[in-house]
């Protein structure tokens, strides 16, 4: 499939020349996702099985031309074209990634995630180079405390181990839940709050109405959209205006704005939030 751009916000995305690639776990299977510039323009997206063929990852495409509204935000997002984003097929990886992203900036979270994967995750060989899966819940629970410290992950040790225990106990139940219910359910895990739960479920479903859409990342990129609009600085005020303007397109507005931010950071050298 050809799309204008692919949202590569997840820290597992790697690059080889013009190709972005990523390995994902889906049940007992492993898949490789790729995004390569197409000769006719846009980006070609492909998914290939590496081991097994269970649960092929789903690519959702958001076309801003299909959205309603005349706000200047939409003019910018429409000009950027269609955005594809793969749903994360691995609930454990989605939850662990959101835990690592807590409090810190995207660049630092990416470094920690990749170092942890390379040290303790499974290496996946692809035509573009090696990729790594996040360590399994069992592997995380077996790691000694000093290993987290050595990788700069000491402050992530307790929430990751609590999440690993919860996934092993409740993972099958969680898989059957409605996304909004799942967002509430995972907050029963120690140190999992609304932001982490919302980011996790959005990663799994691409429903960004469940994402914490007034967080720093959305507010930052909304402010940088070339619209001339001044946005409220506080989360509650921003959330109120954002939801009112987006209406029924809240998920698409949020996803497309974050995707615009990822592209801007990648092409301008700006620091991603």
């Amino acid at each position: 499939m050809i799309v204008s751009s692919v949202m590569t916000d997840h820290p597992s995305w790697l690059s080889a020349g013009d190709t972005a690639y990523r390995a994902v776990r889906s049940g007992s299977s492993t898949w490789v996702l790729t995004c390569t510039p197409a000769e006719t323009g846009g980006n070609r997206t492909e998914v290939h099985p590496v081991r097994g063929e269970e649960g092929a990852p789903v690519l959702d495409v958001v076309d801003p031309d299909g959205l309603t509204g005349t706000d200047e935000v939409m003019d910018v997002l429409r000009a950027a074209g269609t955005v594809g984003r793969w749903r994360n097929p691995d609930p454990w990886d989605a939850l662990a990634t959101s835990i690592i992203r807590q409090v810190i900036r995207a660049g630092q979270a990416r470094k920690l995630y990749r170092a942890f994967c390379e040290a303790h995750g499974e290496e996946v060989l692809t035509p573009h180079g090696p990729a790594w899966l996040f360590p399994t819940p069992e592997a995380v629970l077996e790691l000694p405390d000093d290993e987290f410290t050595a990788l700069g992950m000491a402050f992530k040790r307790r929430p990751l181990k609590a999440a690993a225990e919860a996934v092993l106990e409740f993972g099958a139940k969680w898989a059957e839940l409605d996304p909004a219910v799942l967002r509430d359910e995972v907050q029963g895990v120690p140190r999992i709050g609304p932001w982490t739960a919302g980011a996790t479920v959005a990663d799994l479903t691409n429903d960004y109405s469940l994402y914490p859409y007034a967080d720093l990342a959305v507010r930052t990129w909304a402010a940088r959209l070339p619209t001339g609009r001044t946005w409220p600085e506080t989360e509650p005020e921003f959330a109120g205006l954002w939801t009112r303007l987006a209406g029924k397109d809240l998920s698409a507005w949020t996803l497309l704005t974050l995707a615009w931010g990822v592209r801007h950071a990648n092409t301008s050298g700006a620091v991603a939030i």
Side-chain angles (χ1 to χ4, degrees), residues 79-181:
T82 56
V83 172
R85 189 183 190 280
W86 270 286
R87 301 177 194 176
N88 192 337
D90 184 358
W92 160 240
D93 175 89
L95 181 56
T97 299
S98 297
I99 290 171
I100 293 174
R101 290 177 58 200
Q102 288 173 343
V103 184
I104 61 177
R105 288 183 175 270
Q108 180 63 14
R110 190 177 300 111
K111 291 178 182 178
L112 293 177
Y113 176 95
R114 291 178 180 176
F116 200 63
C117 288
E118 290 183 27
H120 299 291
E122 178 187 347
E123 182 178 15
V124 179
L125 298 179
T126 84
H128 310 286
W132 289 266
L133 299 173
F134 195 81
T136 63
E138 294 85 352
V140 167
L141 289 172
E142 291 175 359
L143 287 178
D145 292 353
D146 58 2
E147 188 60 20
F148 287 88
T149 302
L151 292 168
M153 296 269 285
F155 64 119
K156 303 293 184 182
R157 174 178 58 82
R158 288 184 178 178
L160 279 175
K161 288 202 169 186
E165 291 176 346
V167 165
L168 292 175
E169 183 174 358
F170 303 114
K173 171 189 173 183
W174 287 353
E176 303 298 324
L177 296 179
D178 176 84
V181 176

Side-chain angles (χ1 to χ4, degrees), residues 176-255:
E176 303 298 324
L177 296 179
D178 176 84
V181 176
L182 176 61
R183 181 182 57 179
D184 295 336
E185 189 82 6
V186 297
Q187 291 181 58
V189 180
R191 304 198 181 194
I192 302 298
W195 186 94
T196 306
T200 298
V201 176
D203 188 23
L204 289 170
T205 65
N206 282 340
D207 183 350
Y208 271 69
S209 67
L210 300 174
Y211 184 85
Y213 48 80
D215 76 350
L216 179 60
V218 179
R219 299 199 314 273
T220 296
W221 296 124
R224 295 188 186 181
L225 291 172
T227 63
R229 176 187 287 278
T230 300
W231 295 93
E233 295 184 1
T234 67
E235 284 195 32
E237 291 178 315
F238 179 91
L241 180 57
W242 190 253
T243 54
R244 179 172 64 81
L245 292 174
K248 67 180 181 63
D249 295 325
L250 177 60
S251 175
W253 267 55
T254 305
L255 186 151

